[in-house]
Each structure stands twice: as structure tokens, then as C-alpha cells.
Amino acid sequence: MQVTVLSGAGMSAESGVPTFRDVETGLWAKVDPYEISSSDGWRRHPDKVWAWYLWRHYMMKAVAPNDGHRAVAAWEDGAQVRVVTQNVDDLHERAGSTEVYHLHGSLFHFRCDRCNVAYDGPLPEMPQPVESVDPPVCSCGGLIRPNVVWFGEQLPTEAWDRSVEAVTQADVAIVVGTSSIVYPAAGLPELALAQGIPVIEVNPERTPLTDRVTLSLRETAATTLPGLLQRLPALLG
Ligand code: BV8
Ligand code: ZN
């Protein structure tokens, strides 16, 4: 059986990682996550954007995969599982998933914003979140940025193409922990539905996708994913 998982920030919520919209707490309460993760935001104040990503990068060291990530990884024992994630964390990989496509990049890779060369130089320690940190400067004069996809930027072609394949070849697609408002990622479940592939949503809240999917479970990732595959025959009838 081919299972495709489409995950968003809610997948990592039970690991203690604030979701994209919850991130307006603490130091970042006064910033708009959509502004600080946009190419315009980077142009306007690279020091604030760099500080935010550096903090999120370091915060990942203190968190671990949850039962939801582990369930998805364990499904590989009996099924072909592909994970299409909007998340820039590495929790699916750390739980053991082997096919993970990052539609919006990763907190763990950095590059120059001018010559694109990969940066693997030193990163300053950040024991506490601070509001502004100047990003390192590349030898070409460009600024080092996180290798994530900002609003207004194209998605990585290979990850997108593999994700479209994963969704259109699946026997079932499971959409978990996303508010389904950011495109083109939010359009992927429609490709499965258009082919009559069952789509199951796992989200404690309703989303714009809720009324369109085969089944929407008002439940959380860590509590529902562990037993979900076994429940599929009964759930899908
Ligand atoms: C593009 C990486 C085309 C960075 C992210 C107007 C102006 C400019 C652009 C646009 C515009 N209108 C539309 C657009 C396109 C735009 C877009 O869709 N905007 C939206 C806001 C309308 N999209 C883009 O710009 C994309 N690029 O279109 O390029 C183009 C064409 C030509 C030339 C150039 C470009 C790029 C989008 C990627 C942006 N980067 N992230 C980073 O992470 O820092 S987006 C980021 O937010 C996430 O990656 C995710 O995709 C998105 C939403 O976050 P979610 O993951 O859904 O999380 P959220 O907090 O929203 O929701 C959490 C959910 O979990 C909730 O539903 C909650 O109920 C649930 N939950 C909570 N706890 C649990 C749970 N579920 C289960 N279990 C739990 N325990
Ligand atoms: Zn450079």
C-alpha cells in the first residue's frame, strides 16, 4: 500500500515546537510570521529575520520527534510511505522516515543570498532568543540566509515534482497539522481527490480542506497517527 503523508506545523506541535501561527508568543509576539518569513522581510531587516531563524534552528536541538512522527516512520514496515512536509524541522527524519520531501526548505541548511553557495561555517550560539543578529557575510558580499522558501519565493522543483508524484500515486493521503492556506502546498490534496484517492485530514480544528476531504478527524497527530493505518479499512468502509 502507498501512503502519502502531507504534514504541517501541527505535526510538530506535540514536540513542543510552536506552530507557524502560534509563534506570535514570547519575543516574536510583535512580529507577523508571514512578514518575517518573506523575501521582502529579508530585504527590509535581514538581522531580525536571521535572529528568528537562528533561534528556531537552536530550539530544534531541545525538542524530539513525537508519537506522530514515530508512527509515520513505523508505517514503513508494512507500506511504501512518502512524507511531503511544509515543515522546515528535521523531526520526521529523526523519527526514522526515509522518504521526506521538504516543500519549504530546511532550518539546517544555509546559503548565500547572492551567489547561492552553501554555507557550513560557524553559527553564533543563541542560548536565548534575541531580536537582532547580523547574518554572516559571504566572500562575494552577499548575506548568508536560511535555505527555506519564503513567501513570494518559488518552491524547490525536485521536492515539488516528487510531492506531486507521491500524492497522485498514493492509495491514501493523510493531511496532518496544516491550516491548508498556503499555496501551492495546500493544492496537493486536491490532486489526490481529483483522482478519487481517499484523503484523510487529522487536525483538532477545521480548515478550508475539511469539507472537501474523504474523512476529517478532529484529533491530534500524536494521539491519532499511531493507530490510524489499522483503522483505515473500517474508516474508509
Ligand atoms: C509561491 C517556510 C509563487 C518558512 C513557509 C500574495 C502575495 C504574495 C504571495 C501570495 C499572495 N497570495 C498568495 C500567495 C502565495 C503564497 C501564499 O500561499 N500565501 C498565503 C498566506 C495566502 N505562497 C507563496 O508565496 C509560496 N510561493 O507561491 O511562489 C511564485 C511564482 C512566481 C514567482 C515567484 C513566486 C511560498 C510559500 C512558502 C512560505 N514558507 N514556510 C518557515 O517555515 O519559516 S510557509 C509556512 O506557513 C509553513 O511552511 C506552512 O506552509 C504555512 C502554514 O503553516 P502550517 O504548517 O499550516 O501551520 P499553521 O500554524 O498555519 O497551522 C497549524 C495547523 O496545525 C492548524 O490547522 C492547527 O489546527 C493544527 N494543529 C495544531 N496542533 C496540532 C495540529 N494538528 C495536529 N495535531 C496537533 N497537535
Ligand atoms: Zn556569496
Side-chain angles (χ1 to χ4, degrees):
M1 177 166 70
Q2 300 202 51
V3 180
T4 295
V5 176
L6 299 165
S7 68
M11 182 82 221
S12 301
E14 286 153 292
S15 294
V17 180
T19 65
F20 207 70
R21 293 175 309 170
D22 297 347
V23 81
E24 297 112 31
T25 53
L27 182 71
W28 314 112
K30 52 185 174 300
V31 302
D32 166 9
Y34 291 100
E35 196 274 339
I36 201 167
S37 60
S38 69
S39 33
D40 290 343
W42 174 252
R43 263 192 296 281
R44 260 196 300 277
H45 39 71
D47 57 313
K48 289 193 171 52
V49 176
W50 179 250
W52 189 53
Y53 280 94
L54 219 43
W55 169 242
R56 289 174 68 197
H57 173 84
Y58 275 101
M59 184 176 63
M60 289 315 299
K61 292 182 189 292
V63 301
N66 61 56
D67 288 345
H69 297 105
R70 279 192 284 274
V72 171
W75 290 348
E76 292 190 12
D77 295 343
Q80 185 195 352
V81 184
R82 285 176 280 193
V83 179
V84 174
T85 188
Q86 297 169 74
N87 299 339
V88 292
D89 65 48
D90 59 350
L91 294 175
H92 279 298
E93 290 89 341
R94 283 167 55 188
S97 287
T98 57
E99 278 295 305
V100 182
Y101 310 137
H102 283 271
L103 287 176
H104 295 159
S106 161
L107 277 177
F108 299 89
H109 302 293
F110 299 88
R111 71 170 197 264
C112 169
D113 71 353
R114 182 182 295 177
C115 71
N116 272 332
V117 74
Y119 173 81
D120 49 14
L123 292 170
E125 285 301 316
M126 188 180 259
Q128 288 307 321
V130 295
E131 192 169 1
S132 163
V133 176
D134 287 332
V137 181
C138 174
S139 51
C140 80
L143 297 180
I144 300 304
R145 58 165 284 179
N147 208 13
V148 300
V149 179
W150 281 325
F151 285 101
E153 293 187 325
Q154 295 271 23
L155 274 59
T157 313
E158 186 181 352
W160 176 255
D161 292 345
R162 287 186 169 194
S163 300
V164 169
E165 253 178 49
V167 164
T168 51
Q169 292 171 357
D171 295 306
V172 61
I174 300 167
V175 185
V176 50
T178 178
S179 51
S180 292
I181 54 174
V182 172
Y183 284 81
L188 287 171
E190 298 293 344
L191 299 182
L193 290 168
Q195 288 189 194
I197 296 168
V199 175
I200 297 177
E201 180 184 44
V202 176
N203 192 321
E205 290 174 12
R206 293 176 54 79
T207 72
L209 193 62
T210 299
D211 293 334
R212 308 187 48 71
V213 294
T214 318
L215 178 69
S216 186
L217 301 171
R218 287 282 79 64
E219 301 166 10
T220 74
T223 56
T224 295
L225 294 180
L228 188 57
L229 278 204
Q230 290 80 344
R231 288 167 63 195
L232 282 187
L235 287 172
L236 297 176

